Amino acid sequence: MLEQIARVLFWLGLGEILTKMLSLPVPSAVLGLALLYAELSVRGEVPPELEKLADKLLQLLGLLFVPAGVGVIAHLDVFRGEALPILAAVIGGTAVTICTTALVVNHVARSRRRNRPGRFDAPTEARSRVRS
């Protein structure tokens, strides 16, 4: 398990270094996890110990929202003053996300239908045997 923690921290650290050095507009954690994903894709498998680590972290995920909640409460006066723009951003972002997801799912479903022959697209020989 310690080796897998080191693996995750290595990729997160490399993401931090690359983000700072190259002035990338991507959060370093996102870049680090993308690099970890790339490594695992090249390997073709996820080590069982890394799966165990991921499961443990997912069990503790709720704790990561505590600091965010405390920050919201600490800056409640700012939220009250900017409630309308914040609400518009949340509703607008949600609407854009839902629409984008619907368009992507629709596109993927259409391309799958095009690439997979239907029930009635059998070769002509098979059709003639069915009619007989």
Side-chain angles (χ1 to χ4, degrees), residues 1 5 19 21 27 29-31 40 42 59 71 75-76 97 110 122:
M1 179 90 63
I5 292 171
T19 300
M21 282 178 45
V30 172
L31 181 60
L40 295 174
V42 168
Q59 290 173 357
H75 298 289
L76 204 51
T97 302
R110 252 192 270 135

Side-chain angles (χ1 to χ4, degrees), residues 102-116:
L103 290 172
V104 168
V105 166
N106 192 16
H107 175 73
V108 169
R110 252 192 270 135
S111 67
R112 282 184 139 187
R113 268 187 256 128
R114 245 184 277 127
N115 294 336
R116 184 179 54 186

Side-chain angles (χ1 to χ4, degrees), residues 25-100:
V26 179
S28 59
V30 172
L31 181 60
L33 289 178
L35 292 170
L36 173 63
Y37 177 75
E39 181 215 349
L40 295 174
S41 294
V42 168
R43 289 180 65 146
E45 67 178 2
V46 178
E49 289 293 316
L50 186 59
E51 285 183 20
K52 288 179 189 174
L53 175 64
D55 289 341
K56 295 263 188 223
L57 288 174
L58 284 174
Q59 290 173 357
L60 301 172
L61 191 63
L63 290 176
L64 298 176
F65 290 102
V66 172
V70 170
V72 168
I73 298 301
H75 298 289
L76 204 51
D77 56 330
V78 174
F79 281 97
R80 282 191 188 122
E82 301 293 330
L84 191 58
I86 291 171
L87 192 60
V90 168
I91 292 172
T94 302
V96 167
T97 302
I98 290 171
C99 290
T100 303

